[in-house]
Amino acid sequence: ANPFGSGNKFLLAQEGGSINIHGAPRVSWTKLGAIADNGHTTITLADAVDWEVGDEFVIAGSNHQSSFVGPYVDYAEHKKISAISVDGRTITLDTAAFGAIVNRHFGDTAPVTYTSPPVLPNHPNGQSWNYDQRAEVGLLTRNIKIQGDVASEAAKFGGHVIVQRGSGTVNSGSAHISGVELFRMGQKQILGRYPMHWDVMLGDAAGQFFENSSIHRSYNRAVTIHATDSVRVENNVVYDTVGHAIFFEDGSEEGNMIIGNLVMSTVKPLPGDEMLPSDNEFDEIQNRTPASFWITNPNNEIRDNVAAGTQGTGFWFIFPIYPTGMSSTLPDAITYFAGRIPYKTDLDVFDNNVAHSCGSGFDVNDSIYFNNPGFVNHSIRKNKPWEPMNTAVLTNFVSYAAHIGIYAGIGNEKVVFDNAICSDNNEDIRFAAYHTLRNSLVVANTPAVTFGGGFRRGYIIYDGAGIVEDCHFARFNETVESIISGAGAAKLHANHLFSGFTHDGTGLPRVRINDWSTDVHSPGNSWGMAVRDVDGTFWGTAGSTITSNHPFMVLPNDDITPAGTSASANARLSPFRFGHLLFFISGPNYPASTLTYIKREANGPTRPATIEFKLGGTVQGYKQYPLIVQDDFSYTLRWDNQNLAKSIDLTFGDVEPIDSTIIRLKSIANNPGFGFTGAMTEVPTFSALRTATTTSFFKSGNDVLVRFVNVNKKIVVSFSWS
């Protein structure tokens, strides 16, 4: 009959209807109190529970993947209770039902404490972090069970619970659900058919909740909040679900509370089985789908949750420009959500959340395509910045045993991770944005746990430039580890800033980069890394810059840093500050063009490099280099085919107010139709150029010399001709 478009196998509340189901209160989840290892038939819990013989539960995996690629293996284990001790902490497994323990699950008796040395001005007594890697244990059984029938499994067509506003303005449905087990729920690839679903409630859902319950073996998500404000999803156990698990659908949703949930084993749909492209769109170092917590609007309370064993990403902040879906098409929704711009919205709360044994722990600075010509609706739009009005401070986040602990796409400087812990990840921090890691702990390998996973890298020099303030790096002592590592990037900005740095190693912290001393023209941007040691706490010289040994970065009198290990042998310590120059040449149908970029030192040699542009080819239409922005340095750009390449755009950034540099553009001043745009002034002499206090240019014969003087973080100017 399909009443109200709900299909079949459903519970529906609409037009004033209400679903009120309350099972017996139970301890929803806890942690192990001792290691559970292969062959064990009993486990010890950290806390007393009220679970019973016959109850089923799941233990989160303590696994780590061995590489960034290849099939993901989740080591969570589904078990059944045959006996439980009087104190409620020792469980005997029903081995006839699900066998003994197969995988190792960490469960030490207490968290590990790390303390930084008492040397930082803001922390004169040192900082301490309590780090808890004990595997979570979640109860699946409840005394009220709602389930799909036995035929559900073959067709992946289970039951669903849906709460809707309906056609009236005050007759919305409502749901108050606690102590319930949802099993064999969700309907594969069918929009709107989820185990628990608030559907276009607008503002009529305040006070409604789904709490102290479990969802397991779902064929389509776990909990979906769609165009709905102010519901509470708290203290639930979610296990073995397909696609994004806790799912904010349109980006319009605000004021919701996602608190204390344990989400385990979020599974990527097989190719062709996805409901939305984002469910299985990417398996990249930077972007891994699906997400256990898919957050499309930051104005929600997200705290005390755990994402464990996620095939994709634990927590993904992915904010559309405007609300999508029904939030942008239904007349009532358009009116209600007017003015909501998710990617410009301030953060409500993100606190005390944990991601472990995931592809990625946390991802931010992406968006969603919707009604964009040429793009599939609900596909992922990479590298769209989050631009809140106020700095977003994400507190007390923990990520361990993941490929990447925290990743941030290209964006601005308004995101701060405060008091985070990243440990046992292949890479702990990879910022493609001006984001900040503050008051945080980064650990290479935890001594009590063998996670595997090969190499460990603390901070990746990526697009950036990121900021690391008052952070402690621990156990980066083995020869395979590095606290800083270089990496290629689309826009490798200068001046990753380190200050208040401490570590527990001896000697200089290890920096791992390639040897660029002879491979001057190598493609990519890895050689352009520039890390400012702001206060001297990293390599001992305040205001110096750690660079690669590429000829454009290193001068003859730069320190040949006594790194002490081969892993740091390719890094250098420069006394100079660096900025970032990006230039782009365009014109109608111009062929491959060669551009020469020269650094000229005051009393030293020139350092040329040749770069090839290919319009529409594999080489990008722009190039970039770091620049020394102190003392007497100038740079020259020259290129062929100026009659075809009709303009050049220059962007100067990543600098401080006192920084400046001079760029000579060869042979463009006498071209017909020569002109410029941007905030700069033409001056009559080279002497006037050198003393200019604002960005200016001077024509020297047929050359143009531009002096960039920093006023803002970024300066953009353009020259064109006909």
Side-chain angles (χ1 to χ4, degrees):
N2 192 27
F4 301 103
S6 297
N8 54 30
K9 295 187 181 181
F10 65 85
L11 293 178
L12 167 68
Q14 194 193 78
E15 302 291 353
S18 183
I19 300 172
N20 296 283
I21 307 175
H22 301 285
R26 308 292 296 278
V27 173
S28 192
W29 61 279
T30 182
K31 294 188 176 186
L32 287 176
I35 289 174
D37 215 339
N38 178 262
H40 287 186
T41 58
T42 63
I43 64 169
T44 300
L45 302 178
D47 304 298
V49 297
D50 53 8
W51 304 350
E52 300 174 349
V53 172
D55 284 350
E56 296 180 18
F57 63 94
V58 64
I59 309 173
S62 291
N63 58 302
H64 189 293
Q65 300 310 294
S66 60
S67 69
F68 283 108
V69 295
Y72 181 88
V73 180
D74 177 32
Y75 292 95
E77 299 195 52
H78 183 178
K79 300 299 179 186
K80 188 174 183 179
I81 299 174
S82 67
I84 188 165
S85 63
V86 174
D87 67 359
R89 293 188 62 238
T90 302
I91 289 176
T92 302
L93 306 182
D94 183 344
T95 56
F98 296 110
I101 297 295
V102 176
N103 306 305
R104 190 170 191 261
H105 305 266
F106 183 59
D108 205 352
T109 55
V112 177
T113 299
Y114 287 87
T115 302
S116 67
V119 297
L120 305 180
N122 294 329
H123 305 277
N125 297 316
Q127 300 182 79
S128 291
W129 297 266
N130 291 323
Y131 177 29
D132 189 352
Q133 290 182 321
R134 295 173 295 178
E136 298 81 10
V137 186
L139 180 67
L140 300 177
T141 302
R142 300 297 195 274
N143 69 318
I144 296 176
K145 188 173 187 177
I146 301 171
Q147 64 181 7
D149 60 12
V150 293
S152 299
E153 182 65 27
K156 303 297 187 289
F157 189 85
H160 70 102
V161 178
I162 184 169
V163 187
Q164 293 181 321
R165 187 168 188 256
S167 59
T169 58
V170 294
N171 295 320
S172 295
S174 64
H176 306 85
I177 299 173
S178 65
V180 173
E181 177 183 354
L182 302 182
F183 174 61
R184 289 200 299 248
M185 302 287 280
Q187 298 172 359
K188 186 179 81 170
Q189 285 189 294
I190 301 179
L191 193 68
R193 306 294 189 261
Y194 318 114
M196 184 67 216
H197 181 197
W198 279 277
D199 186 32
V200 195
M201 298 289 289
L202 308 183
D204 291 346
Q208 299 187 41
F209 58 82
F210 180 76
E211 67 179 9
N212 302 321
S213 297
S214 70
I215 299 172
H216 60 113
R217 195 55 188 156
S218 168
Y219 315 117
N220 192 0
R221 314 211 184 289
V223 177
T224 292
I225 301 172
H226 181 203
T228 297
D229 289 350
S230 304
V231 302
R232 179 168 53 85
V233 178
E234 183 171 9
N235 201 33
N236 301 293
V237 173
V238 174
Y239 170 63
D240 189 19
T241 62
V242 177
H244 306 307
I246 307 295
F247 179 70
F248 289 79
E249 187 160 341
D250 286 352
S252 59
E253 302 84 8
E254 296 188 355
N256 299 287
M257 294 156 281
I258 311 298
I259 303 171
N261 301 284
L262 171 60
V263 179
M264 294 174 285
S265 306
T266 304
V267 178
K268 183 189 294 289
L270 295 174
D273 284 354
E274 68 277 4
M275 191 183 69
L276 297 177
S278 63
D279 282 316
N280 65 356
E281 193 170 1
F282 294 119
D283 187 15
E284 304 172 338
I285 290 178
Q286 301 95 328
N287 304 284
R288 294 183 182 275
T289 54
S292 288
F293 295 84
W294 180 259
I295 311 300
T296 56
N297 190 304
N299 189 19
N300 292 282
E301 182 179 352
I302 315 292
R303 61 176 172 86
D304 304 323
N305 302 286
V306 176
T310 301
Q311 193 167 354
T313 298
F315 296 84
W316 202 326
F317 274 22
I318 183 160
F319 307 137
I321 296 176
Y322 298 105
T324 65
M326 291 184 178
S327 295
S328 65
T329 59
L330 295 179
D332 285 353
I334 293 172
T335 299
Y336 182 79
F337 296 125
R340 294 193 182 181
I341 305 175
Y343 87 106
K344 288 187 176 290
T345 299
D346 281 343
L347 178 70
D348 182 7
V349 174
F350 186 87
D351 180 61
N352 200 39
N353 297 293
V354 177
H356 71 85
S357 310
C358 301
S360 296
F362 186 95
D363 196 339
V364 65
N365 286 14
D366 296 301
S367 187
I368 299 165
Y369 286 111
F370 190 77
N371 291 338
N372 296 96
F375 295 94
V376 177
N377 278 350
H378 298 288
S379 59
I380 294 172
R381 183 177 183 177
K382 301 180 192 178
N383 296 319
K384 177 65 180 177
W386 177 20
E387 299 178 1
M389 295 296 294
N390 299 290
T391 298
V393 181
L394 288 69
T395 51
N396 306 309
F397 178 64
V398 176
S399 178
Y400 65 92
H403 292 307
I404 293 181
I406 298 175
Y407 173 77
I410 293 172
N412 59 23
E413 66 274 19
K414 290 190 174 182
V415 178
V416 175
F417 295 89
D418 188 75
N419 201 42
I421 298 176
C422 290
S423 177
D424 299 280
N425 303 301
N426 290 110
E427 296 180 357
D428 291 296
I429 309 295
R430 182 185 276 255
F431 285 161
Y434 298 98
H435 293 341
T436 298
L437 183 73
R438 184 175 70 195
N439 302 321
S440 296
L441 170 70
V442 180
V443 184
N445 286 290
T446 303
V449 184
T450 303
F451 281 114
F455 59 88
R456 298 283 186 270
R457 299 194 288 180
Y459 183 89
I460 302 300
I461 303 301
Y462 198 46
D463 289 294
I467 301 168
V468 179
E469 296 177 345
D470 294 350
C471 294
H472 182 64
F473 286 67
R475 299 187 57 78
F476 283 85
N477 300 323
E478 297 80 5
T479 58
V480 297
E481 313 303 345
S482 56
I483 286 179
I484 291 178
S485 288
K491 294 183 179 179
L492 191 64
H493 289 277
N495 292 330
H496 295 256
L497 304 179
F498 272 63
S499 64
F501 171 86
T502 59
H503 71 122
D504 62 4
T506 58
L508 295 175
R510 181 176 290 106
V511 177
R512 180 187 293 274
I513 51 178
N514 293 337
D515 182 1
W516 299 105
S517 59
T518 57
D519 194 9
V520 175
H521 305 304
S522 178
N525 301 299
S526 300
W527 59 263
M529 61 170 284
V531 180
R532 285 280 305 284
D533 188 354
V534 176
D535 56 2
T537 55
F538 193 85
W539 266 11
T541 304
S544 62
T545 303
I546 300 160
T547 75
S548 73
N549 61 345
H550 189 282
F552 262 67
M553 305 298 294
V554 182
L555 302 183
N557 61 344
D558 285 356
D559 290 340
I560 306 301
T561 305
T565 67
S566 59
S568 293
N570 299 321
R572 296 292 182 266
L573 190 63
S574 170
F576 298 106
R577 293 191 305 274
F578 286 76
H580 178 250
L581 178 72
L582 184 147
F583 50 90
F584 182 84
I585 297 177
S586 61
N589 303 315
Y590 73 92
S593 179
T594 301
L595 182 148
T596 301
Y597 177 97
I598 300 172
K599 180 178 76 175
R600 187 177 302 278
E601 299 147 28
N603 296 300
T606 60
R607 302 284 178 83
T610 301
I611 309 97
E612 185 179 70
F613 286 84
K614 294 180 180 178
L615 185 63
T618 58
V619 179
Q620 294 169 309
Y622 62 86
K623 285 295 174 182
Q624 60 193 319
Y625 286 93
L627 304 172
I628 295 176
V629 292
Q630 295 169 264
D631 296 339
D632 192 9
F633 294 92
S634 64
Y635 298 81
T636 299
L637 303 178
R638 74 174 79 229
W639 62 97
D640 305 331
N641 303 313
Q642 290 187 19
N643 60 323
L644 296 172
K646 302 293 187 179
S647 68
I648 182 166
D649 303 326
L650 299 159
T651 301
F652 179 63
D654 299 336
V655 286
E656 299 177 3
I658 58 175
D659 294 335
S660 65
T661 195
I662 293 177
I663 308 294
R664 177 184 291 268
L665 307 176
K666 293 294 293 184
S667 305
I668 68 170
N670 293 332
N671 287 334
F674 173 82
F676 69 94
T677 59
M680 61 180 167
T681 303
E682 183 176 0
V683 295
T685 65
F686 181 69
S687 177
L689 183 73
R690 290 190 57 119
T691 58
T693 57
T694 60
T695 297
S696 305
F697 75 92
F698 163 64
K699 293 180 183 178
S700 176
N702 198 25
D703 297 344
V704 173
L705 283 75
V706 184
R707 175 178 166 83
F708 286 101
V709 180
N710 179 43
V711 177
N712 300 309
K713 193 173 185 70
K714 182 170 70 175
I715 302 169
V716 181
V717 300
S718 300
F719 294 94
S720 60
W721 51 95
S722 59

